[in-house]
Amino acid sequence: MTHIPINTPFWLEPKPVMFPPTNLALKEPDGLLAVGGALTPEWLLQAYSNGIFPWFNPGEPILWWTPNPRSVLFIDSLKIKRSLRKTIQKLEWDESLTVTLDQNFTGVMQACATVSREGQDGTWISPEMLSAYQSLHQSGHAHSVEVWQKGQLVGGLYGIAIGKMFFGESMFSKVSDSSKIALVALAMQLKAWGFELIDTQVETPHLNSLGASTLSRVAFEKVIQQQINQPFKPQKWQFSIDWADAVYGHCQTECKTP
């Protein structure tokens, strides 16, 4: 979990909705920019539009972060290992496992909050965070991917979309590969809509194994501005493609992982 350092640089009042320049973020802890503000849709959309996201312990003031470098997943660089490809191919005739978009946003967030994570005690997904992102979901800016097995929610992820930029927040898996399936399905649909990358926030070996790489904060912010300014109507999402079939096309040209 996060801890508030003594040398926090900026305190934000609830109004006006304004962040300090991101180049003033701390180097230790990496990317801490400000404390305070509010978890309203206005604050959150302003934050994500500038590469900033909230992450803090329940009961503490809101902490706003902009890590440098930034972990991102360019969709064309997505690595889908052979074992996962075989699992996805089986979905075409395995009716017990299905993938949906925006069918149970609250359930996905709640599941992400309960999954134990290495090096983390408890969760940052508090009732306050849940309520804030539910508001964004209702306005068509926050989205979820659900993986179902025999009608039970067994995996998924959620994040924020502004223009053609998707900011990933968290994922969970209750059965093998279910979170990876959610990510692959999302990536294929985003690619079909003209999205180029997914913000994955902080570098981890797991994300790198899926094809994530890092960008400097300056480079990341340039990409954000390019992507968020591409028109894409906020709305409830649903698949417009056969995402499993799209995996085959993707792997014909992009998959190089055995």
Side-chain angles (χ1 to χ4, degrees):
M1 296 297 289
T2 58
H3 296 281
I4 301 175
I6 296 175
N7 59 337
T8 299
F10 294 97
W11 176 265
L12 305 176
E13 298 295 339
K15 292 288 184 179
V17 179
M18 184 181 300
F19 289 96
T22 56
N23 67 334
L24 298 178
L26 297 181
K27 294 183 179 180
E28 183 57 43
D30 176 36
L32 179 60
L33 178 65
V35 179
L39 283 181
T40 63
E42 188 178 9
W43 272 101
L44 289 168
L45 292 176
Q46 177 77 358
Y48 284 99
S49 295
N50 288 280
I52 303 164
F53 59 86
W55 185 38
F56 60 100
N57 293 331
E60 292 180 349
I62 303 168
L63 304 184
W64 301 94
W65 301 80
T66 173
N68 186 31
R70 186 70 162 240
S71 175
V72 298
L73 176 60
F74 285 92
I75 294 172
D76 281 344
S77 297
L78 176 65
K79 296 179 181 178
I80 308 174
K81 292 185 178 181
R82 183 176 296 134
S83 59
L84 181 58
R85 295 201 296 269
K86 289 182 178 179
T87 299
I88 290 171
Q89 289 170 355
K90 292 178 181 178
L91 297 182
E92 295 183 340
W93 60 80
D94 182 5
E95 296 182 357
S96 69
L97 199 151
T98 58
V99 185
T100 59
L101 295 175
D102 283 348
Q103 294 301 304
N104 192 352
F105 182 84
T106 298
V108 169
M109 277 200 72
Q110 290 173 334
C112 287
T114 60
V115 171
S116 61
R117 305 178 193 275
E118 184 177 353
Q120 179 180 307
D121 181 19
T123 181
W124 75 96
I125 305 175
S126 64
E128 181 184 15
M129 290 283 277
L130 178 60
S131 177
Y133 285 81
Q134 282 175 325
S135 295
L136 286 180
H137 176 62
Q138 291 168 2
S139 68
H141 282 291
H143 303 279
S144 59
V145 185
E146 304 88 14
V147 179
W148 307 88
Q149 187 173 58
K150 297 181 179 179
Q152 299 297 311
L153 187 62
V154 296
L157 62 84
Y158 74 95
I160 307 299
I162 303 174
K164 290 189 177 180
M165 182 70 202
F166 188 83
F167 303 87
E169 269 297 316
S170 187
M171 60 175 60
F172 79 98
S173 182
K174 292 184 178 180
V175 300
S176 179
D177 286 341
S178 58
S179 62
K180 292 179 183 179
I181 289 171
L183 178 63
V184 169
L186 173 67
M188 294 301 97
Q189 180 60 75
L190 291 178
K191 184 176 182 178
W193 284 333
F195 287 60
E196 295 183 6
L197 77 162
I198 297 170
D199 171 30
T200 46
Q201 297 185 347
V202 179
E203 184 180 17
T204 68
H206 174 65
L207 290 171
N208 290 346
S209 73
L210 294 169
S213 56
T214 58
L215 293 176
S216 69
R217 181 185 293 128
V218 171
F220 178 64
E221 290 174 354
K222 287 181 179 178
V223 171
I224 289 177
Q225 294 310 309
Q226 292 169 355
Q227 297 303 114
I228 68 174
N229 287 317
Q230 295 188 44
F232 195 76
K233 182 181 178 181
Q235 59 187 304
K236 185 175 181 179
W237 284 359
Q238 59 183 358
F239 283 110
S240 65
I241 60 168
D242 182 332
W243 69 267
D245 188 56
V247 169
Y248 176 79
H250 172 82
C251 287
Q252 290 296 99
T253 57
E254 305 297 342
C255 291
K256 301 178 178 65
T257 304

